[in-house]
mmCIF file of all heavy atoms in Angstrom:
data_model
loop_
_atom_site.group_PDB
_atom_site.id
_atom_site.type_symbol
_atom_site.label_atom_id
_atom_site.label_comp_id
_atom_site.label_asym_id
_atom_site.label_seq_id
_atom_site.Cartn_x
_atom_site.Cartn_y
_atom_site.Cartn_z
ATOM 1 N N ALA A 123 1.247 -2.889 -33.768
ATOM 2 C CA ALA A 123 1.396 -3.795 -34.876
ATOM 3 C C ALA A 123 1.061 -5.209 -34.559
ATOM 4 O O ALA A 123 0.633 -5.977 -35.428
ATOM 5 C CB ALA A 123 2.811 -3.708 -35.443
ATOM 6 N N MET A 124 1.329 -5.602 -33.273
ATOM 7 C CA MET A 124 1.098 -6.966 -32.895
ATOM 8 C C MET A 124 -0.263 -7.188 -32.201
ATOM 9 O O MET A 124 -0.600 -8.278 -31.753
ATOM 10 C CB MET A 124 2.211 -7.427 -31.951
ATOM 11 C CG MET A 124 3.543 -7.578 -32.604
ATOM 12 S SD MET A 124 3.523 -8.797 -33.904
ATOM 13 C CE MET A 124 5.106 -8.547 -34.735
ATOM 14 N N LEU A 125 -1.052 -6.135 -32.131
ATOM 15 C CA LEU A 125 -2.349 -6.355 -31.525
ATOM 16 C C LEU A 125 -3.233 -7.094 -32.492
ATOM 17 O O LEU A 125 -3.379 -6.752 -33.723
ATOM 18 C CB LEU A 125 -3.058 -4.976 -31.238
ATOM 19 C CG LEU A 125 -2.403 -4.164 -30.148
ATOM 20 C CD1 LEU A 125 -3.090 -2.786 -30.056
ATOM 21 C CD2 LEU A 125 -2.439 -4.854 -28.827
ATOM 22 N N LEU A 126 -3.918 -8.096 -32.055
ATOM 23 C CA LEU A 126 -4.855 -8.903 -32.831
ATOM 24 C C LEU A 126 -6.200 -8.258 -33.061
ATOM 25 O O LEU A 126 -6.963 -8.597 -33.932
ATOM 26 C CB LEU A 126 -5.018 -10.280 -32.254
ATOM 27 C CG LEU A 126 -3.731 -11.130 -32.100
ATOM 28 C CD1 LEU A 126 -3.988 -12.427 -31.459
ATOM 29 C CD2 LEU A 126 -3.147 -11.407 -33.547
ATOM 30 N N ILE A 127 -6.594 -7.269 -32.143
ATOM 31 C CA ILE A 127 -7.812 -6.559 -32.269
ATOM 32 C C ILE A 127 -7.474 -5.077 -32.069
ATOM 33 O O ILE A 127 -6.782 -4.704 -31.120
ATOM 34 C CB ILE A 127 -8.794 -6.982 -31.126
ATOM 35 C CG1 ILE A 127 -9.038 -8.541 -31.181
ATOM 36 C CG2 ILE A 127 -10.107 -6.293 -31.339
ATOM 37 C CD1 ILE A 127 -9.908 -9.005 -30.012
ATOM 38 N N ALA A 128 -7.898 -4.232 -32.960
ATOM 39 C CA ALA A 128 -7.631 -2.854 -32.931
ATOM 40 C C ALA A 128 -8.241 -2.230 -31.660
ATOM 41 O O ALA A 128 -9.357 -2.745 -31.245
ATOM 42 C CB ALA A 128 -8.184 -2.140 -34.110
ATOM 43 N N PRO A 129 -7.626 -1.275 -30.981
ATOM 44 C CA PRO A 129 -8.169 -0.747 -29.756
ATOM 45 C C PRO A 129 -9.646 -0.231 -29.814
ATOM 46 O O PRO A 129 -10.452 -0.601 -28.940
ATOM 47 C CB PRO A 129 -7.286 0.452 -29.467
ATOM 48 C CG PRO A 129 -5.891 0.055 -30.060
ATOM 49 C CD PRO A 129 -6.275 -0.726 -31.311
ATOM 50 N N ASP A 130 -10.030 0.387 -30.940
ATOM 51 C CA ASP A 130 -11.447 0.789 -31.040
ATOM 52 C C ASP A 130 -12.374 -0.362 -31.119
ATOM 53 O O ASP A 130 -13.494 -0.320 -30.435
ATOM 54 C CB ASP A 130 -11.611 1.711 -32.263
ATOM 55 C CG ASP A 130 -10.899 3.071 -32.146
ATOM 56 O OD1 ASP A 130 -10.540 3.430 -30.947
ATOM 57 O OD2 ASP A 130 -10.833 3.858 -33.113
ATOM 58 N N ARG A 131 -12.040 -1.363 -31.923
ATOM 59 C CA ARG A 131 -12.908 -2.553 -32.000
ATOM 60 C C ARG A 131 -12.969 -3.259 -30.627
ATOM 61 O O ARG A 131 -13.977 -3.708 -30.228
ATOM 62 C CB ARG A 131 -12.360 -3.518 -33.109
ATOM 63 C CG ARG A 131 -13.013 -4.851 -33.113
ATOM 64 C CD ARG A 131 -14.469 -4.761 -33.677
ATOM 65 N NE ARG A 131 -15.174 -6.053 -33.537
ATOM 66 C CZ ARG A 131 -15.169 -6.974 -34.510
ATOM 67 N NH1 ARG A 131 -14.495 -6.840 -35.636
ATOM 68 N NH2 ARG A 131 -15.903 -8.075 -34.401
ATOM 69 N N LEU A 132 -11.859 -3.354 -29.943
ATOM 70 C CA LEU A 132 -11.826 -4.017 -28.636
ATOM 71 C C LEU A 132 -12.773 -3.314 -27.675
ATOM 72 O O LEU A 132 -13.464 -3.960 -26.929
ATOM 73 C CB LEU A 132 -10.411 -4.058 -28.074
ATOM 74 C CG LEU A 132 -10.251 -4.771 -26.736
ATOM 75 C CD1 LEU A 132 -10.647 -6.178 -26.770
ATOM 76 C CD2 LEU A 132 -8.783 -4.584 -26.225
ATOM 77 N N ALA A 133 -12.738 -1.992 -27.624
ATOM 78 C CA ALA A 133 -13.585 -1.210 -26.700
ATOM 79 C C ALA A 133 -15.048 -1.559 -27.033
ATOM 80 O O ALA A 133 -15.866 -1.760 -26.111
ATOM 81 C CB ALA A 133 -13.257 0.208 -26.813
ATOM 82 N N GLN A 134 -15.378 -1.587 -28.299
ATOM 83 C CA GLN A 134 -16.778 -1.868 -28.670
ATOM 84 C C GLN A 134 -17.124 -3.293 -28.210
ATOM 85 O O GLN A 134 -18.240 -3.534 -27.747
ATOM 86 C CB GLN A 134 -16.915 -1.810 -30.246
ATOM 87 C CG GLN A 134 -16.755 -0.401 -30.760
ATOM 88 C CD GLN A 134 -16.610 -0.362 -32.304
ATOM 89 O OE1 GLN A 134 -16.803 -1.394 -32.925
ATOM 90 N NE2 GLN A 134 -16.278 0.775 -32.825
ATOM 91 N N GLU A 135 -16.223 -4.265 -28.347
ATOM 92 C CA GLU A 135 -16.477 -5.631 -27.937
ATOM 93 C C GLU A 135 -16.729 -5.732 -26.408
ATOM 94 O O GLU A 135 -17.610 -6.401 -25.960
ATOM 95 C CB GLU A 135 -15.321 -6.518 -28.270
ATOM 96 C CG GLU A 135 -15.259 -6.893 -29.717
ATOM 97 C CD GLU A 135 -16.447 -7.672 -30.204
ATOM 98 O OE1 GLU A 135 -16.918 -8.544 -29.471
ATOM 99 O OE2 GLU A 135 -16.916 -7.472 -31.310
ATOM 100 N N LEU A 136 -15.915 -4.982 -25.671
ATOM 101 C CA LEU A 136 -16.109 -5.085 -24.133
ATOM 102 C C LEU A 136 -17.401 -4.481 -23.719
ATOM 103 O O LEU A 136 -18.111 -4.975 -22.908
ATOM 104 C CB LEU A 136 -14.955 -4.352 -23.421
ATOM 105 C CG LEU A 136 -13.846 -5.307 -22.846
ATOM 106 C CD1 LEU A 136 -14.384 -6.019 -21.680
ATOM 107 C CD2 LEU A 136 -13.327 -6.252 -23.887
ATOM 108 N N VAL A 137 -17.810 -3.375 -24.412
ATOM 109 C CA VAL A 137 -19.075 -2.751 -24.084
ATOM 110 C C VAL A 137 -20.188 -3.697 -24.413
ATOM 111 O O VAL A 137 -21.130 -3.906 -23.584
ATOM 112 C CB VAL A 137 -19.255 -1.439 -24.884
ATOM 113 C CG1 VAL A 137 -20.659 -0.916 -24.794
ATOM 114 C CG2 VAL A 137 -18.250 -0.350 -24.437
ATOM 115 N N ARG A 138 -20.102 -4.382 -25.524
ATOM 116 C CA ARG A 138 -21.143 -5.302 -25.923
ATOM 117 C C ARG A 138 -21.214 -6.517 -25.080
ATOM 118 O O ARG A 138 -22.206 -6.995 -24.582
ATOM 119 C CB ARG A 138 -20.821 -5.715 -27.397
ATOM 120 C CG ARG A 138 -22.080 -5.618 -28.339
ATOM 121 C CD ARG A 138 -21.653 -6.135 -29.686
ATOM 122 N NE ARG A 138 -22.771 -6.904 -30.254
ATOM 123 C CZ ARG A 138 -22.633 -7.624 -31.341
ATOM 124 N NH1 ARG A 138 -21.491 -7.699 -31.995
ATOM 125 N NH2 ARG A 138 -23.645 -8.310 -31.792
ATOM 126 N N LEU A 139 -20.055 -7.118 -24.791
ATOM 127 C CA LEU A 139 -20.034 -8.362 -24.042
ATOM 128 C C LEU A 139 -20.410 -8.084 -22.560
ATOM 129 O O LEU A 139 -21.126 -8.895 -21.933
ATOM 130 C CB LEU A 139 -18.633 -8.997 -24.048
ATOM 131 C CG LEU A 139 -18.305 -9.710 -25.406
ATOM 132 C CD1 LEU A 139 -16.821 -9.890 -25.506
ATOM 133 C CD2 LEU A 139 -19.026 -11.002 -25.572
ATOM 134 N N ASP A 140 -20.010 -6.981 -22.012
ATOM 135 C CA ASP A 140 -20.410 -6.581 -20.652
ATOM 136 C C ASP A 140 -21.872 -6.425 -20.615
ATOM 137 O O ASP A 140 -22.569 -6.879 -19.649
ATOM 138 C CB ASP A 140 -19.659 -5.316 -20.318
ATOM 139 C CG ASP A 140 -19.995 -4.812 -18.898
ATOM 140 O OD1 ASP A 140 -19.335 -5.310 -17.902
ATOM 141 O OD2 ASP A 140 -20.886 -3.958 -18.797
ATOM 142 N N ALA A 141 -22.467 -5.708 -21.566
ATOM 143 C CA ALA A 141 -23.899 -5.516 -21.548
ATOM 144 C C ALA A 141 -24.711 -6.789 -21.687
ATOM 145 O O ALA A 141 -25.818 -6.910 -21.205
ATOM 146 C CB ALA A 141 -24.289 -4.532 -22.736
ATOM 147 N N ALA A 142 -24.068 -7.791 -22.384
ATOM 148 C CA ALA A 142 -24.700 -9.102 -22.561
ATOM 149 C C ALA A 142 -24.554 -10.081 -21.379
ATOM 150 O O ALA A 142 -25.042 -11.180 -21.376
ATOM 151 C CB ALA A 142 -24.250 -9.757 -23.855
ATOM 152 N N GLY A 143 -23.803 -9.602 -20.394
ATOM 153 C CA GLY A 143 -23.628 -10.355 -19.171
ATOM 154 C C GLY A 143 -22.473 -11.255 -19.138
ATOM 155 O O GLY A 143 -22.419 -12.230 -18.293
ATOM 156 N N PHE A 144 -21.511 -11.170 -20.011
ATOM 157 C CA PHE A 144 -20.329 -11.996 -20.106
ATOM 158 C C PHE A 144 -19.204 -11.383 -19.263
ATOM 159 O O PHE A 144 -18.882 -10.203 -19.477
ATOM 160 C CB PHE A 144 -19.873 -12.220 -21.545
ATOM 161 C CG PHE A 144 -20.704 -13.177 -22.325
ATOM 162 C CD1 PHE A 144 -21.641 -12.738 -23.210
ATOM 163 C CD2 PHE A 144 -20.536 -14.554 -22.202
ATOM 164 C CE1 PHE A 144 -22.442 -13.543 -23.976
ATOM 165 C CE2 PHE A 144 -21.337 -15.432 -22.928
ATOM 166 C CZ PHE A 144 -22.268 -14.967 -23.860
ATOM 167 N N THR A 145 -18.523 -12.163 -18.486
ATOM 168 C CA THR A 145 -17.231 -11.716 -17.896
ATOM 169 C C THR A 145 -16.180 -12.109 -18.896
ATOM 170 O O THR A 145 -16.053 -13.275 -19.349
ATOM 171 C CB THR A 145 -16.907 -12.510 -16.548
ATOM 172 O OG1 THR A 145 -17.905 -12.101 -15.582
ATOM 173 C CG2 THR A 145 -15.567 -12.171 -16.041
ATOM 174 N N VAL A 146 -15.370 -11.129 -19.299
ATOM 175 C CA VAL A 146 -14.412 -11.339 -20.391
ATOM 176 C C VAL A 146 -13.030 -11.515 -19.860
ATOM 177 O O VAL A 146 -12.542 -10.802 -19.028
ATOM 178 C CB VAL A 146 -14.429 -10.081 -21.344
ATOM 179 C CG1 VAL A 146 -13.494 -10.315 -22.536
ATOM 180 C CG2 VAL A 146 -15.832 -9.803 -21.824
ATOM 181 N N LYS A 147 -12.359 -12.549 -20.422
ATOM 182 C CA LYS A 147 -10.950 -12.802 -20.179
ATOM 183 C C LYS A 147 -10.185 -12.489 -21.484
ATOM 184 O O LYS A 147 -10.496 -12.965 -22.481
ATOM 185 C CB LYS A 147 -10.715 -14.253 -19.769
ATOM 186 C CG LYS A 147 -9.230 -14.571 -19.334
ATOM 187 C CD LYS A 147 -8.991 -16.086 -19.218
ATOM 188 C CE LYS A 147 -9.634 -16.647 -17.924
ATOM 189 N NZ LYS A 147 -8.843 -16.256 -16.704
ATOM 190 N N MET A 148 -9.212 -11.537 -21.376
ATOM 191 C CA MET A 148 -8.458 -11.169 -22.477
ATOM 192 C C MET A 148 -7.001 -11.607 -22.409
ATOM 193 O O MET A 148 -6.288 -11.171 -21.481
ATOM 194 C CB MET A 148 -8.494 -9.625 -22.650
ATOM 195 C CG MET A 148 -9.863 -9.054 -23.020
ATOM 196 S SD MET A 148 -9.927 -7.243 -22.856
ATOM 197 C CE MET A 148 -10.284 -7.070 -21.124
ATOM 198 N N HIS A 149 -6.600 -12.403 -23.338
ATOM 199 C CA HIS A 149 -5.192 -12.829 -23.455
ATOM 200 C C HIS A 149 -4.336 -11.526 -23.775
ATOM 201 O O HIS A 149 -4.533 -10.931 -24.829
ATOM 202 C CB HIS A 149 -4.968 -13.782 -24.604
ATOM 203 C CG HIS A 149 -3.567 -14.122 -24.901
ATOM 204 N ND1 HIS A 149 -2.992 -15.309 -24.635
ATOM 205 C CD2 HIS A 149 -2.605 -13.299 -25.491
ATOM 206 C CE1 HIS A 149 -1.676 -15.272 -25.044
ATOM 207 N NE2 HIS A 149 -1.477 -14.067 -25.621
ATOM 208 N N ALA A 150 -3.539 -11.179 -22.836
ATOM 209 C CA ALA A 150 -2.663 -10.012 -23.041
ATOM 210 C C ALA A 150 -1.355 -10.229 -22.336
ATOM 211 O O ALA A 150 -1.302 -10.330 -21.100
ATOM 212 C CB ALA A 150 -3.383 -8.742 -22.548
ATOM 213 N N VAL A 151 -0.298 -10.308 -23.021
ATOM 214 C CA VAL A 151 1.066 -10.595 -22.510
ATOM 215 C C VAL A 151 1.892 -9.295 -22.438
ATOM 216 O O VAL A 151 2.477 -8.969 -21.416
ATOM 217 C CB VAL A 151 1.771 -11.715 -23.298
ATOM 218 C CG1 VAL A 151 3.187 -11.912 -22.845
ATOM 219 C CG2 VAL A 151 0.975 -12.965 -23.183
ATOM 220 N N GLY A 152 2.047 -8.639 -23.566
ATOM 221 C CA GLY A 152 2.880 -7.492 -23.647
ATOM 222 C C GLY A 152 2.153 -6.251 -22.952
ATOM 223 O O GLY A 152 0.988 -6.223 -22.853
ATOM 224 N N ASP A 153 2.979 -5.281 -22.577
ATOM 225 C CA ASP A 153 2.435 -4.123 -21.780
ATOM 226 C C ASP A 153 1.458 -3.314 -22.627
ATOM 227 O O ASP A 153 0.521 -2.717 -22.079
ATOM 228 C CB ASP A 153 3.488 -3.245 -21.196
ATOM 229 C CG ASP A 153 4.542 -2.746 -22.115
ATOM 230 O OD1 ASP A 153 4.337 -2.881 -23.360
ATOM 231 O OD2 ASP A 153 5.514 -2.125 -21.694
ATOM 232 N N ARG A 154 1.656 -3.245 -23.963
ATOM 233 C CA ARG A 154 0.698 -2.507 -24.781
ATOM 234 C C ARG A 154 -0.633 -3.196 -24.842
ATOM 235 O O ARG A 154 -1.740 -2.588 -24.779
ATOM 236 C CB ARG A 154 1.270 -2.302 -26.144
ATOM 237 C CG ARG A 154 0.324 -1.601 -27.168
ATOM 238 C CD ARG A 154 -0.174 -0.287 -26.691
ATOM 239 N NE ARG A 154 -1.090 0.350 -27.613
ATOM 240 C CZ ARG A 154 -1.933 1.373 -27.368
ATOM 241 N NH1 ARG A 154 -2.077 1.772 -26.122
ATOM 242 N NH2 ARG A 154 -2.708 1.819 -28.306
ATOM 243 N N ALA A 155 -0.602 -4.518 -24.941
ATOM 244 C CA ALA A 155 -1.867 -5.343 -25.013
ATOM 245 C C ALA A 155 -2.575 -5.135 -23.644
ATOM 246 O O ALA A 155 -3.838 -5.014 -23.645
ATOM 247 C CB ALA A 155 -1.570 -6.765 -25.298
ATOM 248 N N ILE A 156 -1.855 -5.174 -22.553
ATOM 249 C CA ILE A 156 -2.494 -4.998 -21.267
ATOM 250 C C ILE A 156 -3.137 -3.595 -21.102
ATOM 251 O O ILE A 156 -4.230 -3.385 -20.592
ATOM 252 C CB ILE A 156 -1.541 -5.297 -20.155
ATOM 253 C CG1 ILE A 156 -1.156 -6.752 -20.166
ATOM 254 C CG2 ILE A 156 -2.057 -4.887 -18.774
ATOM 255 C CD1 ILE A 156 0.060 -7.145 -19.268
ATOM 256 N N GLN A 157 -2.368 -2.560 -21.592
ATOM 257 C CA GLN A 157 -2.929 -1.209 -21.588
ATOM 258 C C GLN A 157 -4.210 -1.077 -22.344
ATOM 259 O O GLN A 157 -5.213 -0.545 -21.843
ATOM 260 C CB GLN A 157 -1.830 -0.302 -22.156
ATOM 261 C CG GLN A 157 -2.295 1.195 -22.152
ATOM 262 C CD GLN A 157 -1.322 2.073 -22.927
ATOM 263 O OE1 GLN A 157 -0.413 1.544 -23.602
ATOM 264 N NE2 GLN A 157 -1.530 3.322 -22.885
ATOM 265 N N VAL A 158 -4.316 -1.660 -23.543
ATOM 266 C CA VAL A 158 -5.519 -1.477 -24.317
ATOM 267 C C VAL A 158 -6.641 -2.384 -23.736
ATOM 268 O O VAL A 158 -7.800 -2.001 -23.864
ATOM 269 C CB VAL A 158 -5.351 -1.761 -25.827
ATOM 270 C CG1 VAL A 158 -4.252 -0.779 -26.416
ATOM 271 C CG2 VAL A 158 -4.924 -3.228 -26.073
ATOM 272 N N GLY A 159 -6.255 -3.464 -23.098
ATOM 273 C CA GLY A 159 -7.275 -4.284 -22.414
ATOM 274 C C GLY A 159 -7.935 -3.502 -21.263
ATOM 275 O O GLY A 159 -9.204 -3.519 -21.155
ATOM 276 N N LEU A 160 -7.135 -2.826 -20.498
ATOM 277 C CA LEU A 160 -7.660 -1.971 -19.435
ATOM 278 C C LEU A 160 -8.476 -0.832 -20.006
ATOM 279 O O LEU A 160 -9.470 -0.400 -19.441
ATOM 280 C CB LEU A 160 -6.562 -1.510 -18.514
ATOM 281 C CG LEU A 160 -5.874 -2.643 -17.697
ATOM 282 C CD1 LEU A 160 -4.585 -2.085 -17.049
ATOM 283 C CD2 LEU A 160 -6.795 -3.176 -16.617
ATOM 284 N N ASP A 161 -7.938 -0.253 -21.101
ATOM 285 C CA ASP A 161 -8.756 0.804 -21.711
ATOM 286 C C ASP A 161 -10.102 0.399 -22.121
ATOM 287 O O ASP A 161 -11.123 1.093 -22.036
ATOM 288 C CB ASP A 161 -7.986 1.386 -22.975
ATOM 289 C CG ASP A 161 -6.706 2.129 -22.634
ATOM 290 O OD1 ASP A 161 -6.511 2.488 -21.463
ATOM 291 O OD2 ASP A 161 -5.907 2.390 -23.558
ATOM 292 N N ALA A 162 -10.204 -0.880 -22.675
ATOM 293 C CA ALA A 162 -11.491 -1.391 -23.068
ATOM 294 C C ALA A 162 -12.435 -1.610 -21.884
ATOM 295 O O ALA A 162 -13.667 -1.339 -22.015
ATOM 296 C CB ALA A 162 -11.269 -2.701 -23.851
ATOM 297 N N ILE A 163 -11.877 -2.052 -20.774
ATOM 298 C CA ILE A 163 -12.710 -2.281 -19.603
ATOM 299 C C ILE A 163 -13.204 -0.887 -19.133
ATOM 300 O O ILE A 163 -14.376 -0.757 -18.737
ATOM 301 C CB ILE A 163 -11.897 -2.964 -18.507
ATOM 302 C CG1 ILE A 163 -11.517 -4.378 -18.889
ATOM 303 C CG2 ILE A 163 -12.700 -2.969 -17.138
ATOM 304 C CD1 ILE A 163 -10.625 -5.102 -17.906
ATOM 305 N N ALA A 164 -12.335 0.100 -19.195
ATOM 306 C CA ALA A 164 -12.802 1.458 -18.858
ATOM 307 C C ALA A 164 -13.868 1.975 -19.762
ATOM 308 O O ALA A 164 -14.835 2.598 -19.268
ATOM 309 C CB ALA A 164 -11.561 2.419 -18.914
ATOM 310 N N ALA A 165 -13.852 1.589 -21.017
ATOM 311 C CA ALA A 165 -14.915 1.964 -21.934
ATOM 312 C C ALA A 165 -16.231 1.315 -21.565
ATOM 313 O O ALA A 165 -17.312 1.923 -21.624
ATOM 314 C CB ALA A 165 -14.492 1.649 -23.387
ATOM 315 N N ALA A 166 -16.166 0.038 -21.132
ATOM 316 C CA ALA A 166 -17.353 -0.734 -20.757
ATOM 317 C C ALA A 166 -17.914 -0.043 -19.480
ATOM 318 O O ALA A 166 -19.185 0.063 -19.302
ATOM 319 C CB ALA A 166 -17.000 -2.171 -20.445
ATOM 320 N N ARG A 167 -17.055 0.272 -18.520
ATOM 321 C CA ARG A 167 -17.596 0.971 -17.300
ATOM 322 C C ARG A 167 -18.285 2.268 -17.663
ATOM 323 O O ARG A 167 -19.261 2.642 -17.099
ATOM 324 C CB ARG A 167 -16.395 1.180 -16.317
ATOM 325 C CG ARG A 167 -15.708 -0.062 -15.905
ATOM 326 C CD ARG A 167 -16.540 -0.935 -14.939
ATOM 327 N NE ARG A 167 -15.788 -2.055 -14.389
ATOM 328 C CZ ARG A 167 -16.048 -3.335 -14.681
ATOM 329 N NH1 ARG A 167 -17.167 -3.645 -15.451
ATOM 330 N NH2 ARG A 167 -15.342 -4.314 -14.195
ATOM 331 N N ALA A 168 -17.655 3.022 -18.569
ATOM 332 C CA ALA A 168 -18.241 4.362 -18.883
ATOM 333 C C ALA A 168 -19.558 4.186 -19.602
ATOM 334 O O ALA A 168 -20.499 4.935 -19.401
ATOM 335 C CB ALA A 168 -17.236 5.106 -19.825
#
C-alpha cells in the first residue's frame, strides 16, 4: 500500500534504465520496499 511504484512497473524501469546505461539509486526504507527493489535488480540482470 505504501509503495510509490508498483513492483511490475519498477521491474520494467530497472530493465530500461539498466539497458540505457544508468546506475539506479532507489529510495527504500521499509523491508518491503527493499525487497521489491532487489527484485527489480534481479529482473534487470535476467
Side-chain angles (χ1 to χ4, degrees):
M124 291 300 169
L125 291 177
L126 298 176
I127 306 174
D130 288 348
R131 171 70 186 270
L132 179 62
Q134 294 168 8
E135 285 296 322
L136 258 291
V137 170
R138 229 182 138 190
L139 288 163
D140 181 83
F144 285 99
T145 297
V146 184
K147 185 188 287 284
M148 290 171 277
H149 169 112
V151 173
D153 56 7
R154 175 57 179 160
I156 293 169
Q157 179 188 8
V158 300
L160 291 169
D161 289 347
I163 296 172
R167 299 288 185 246

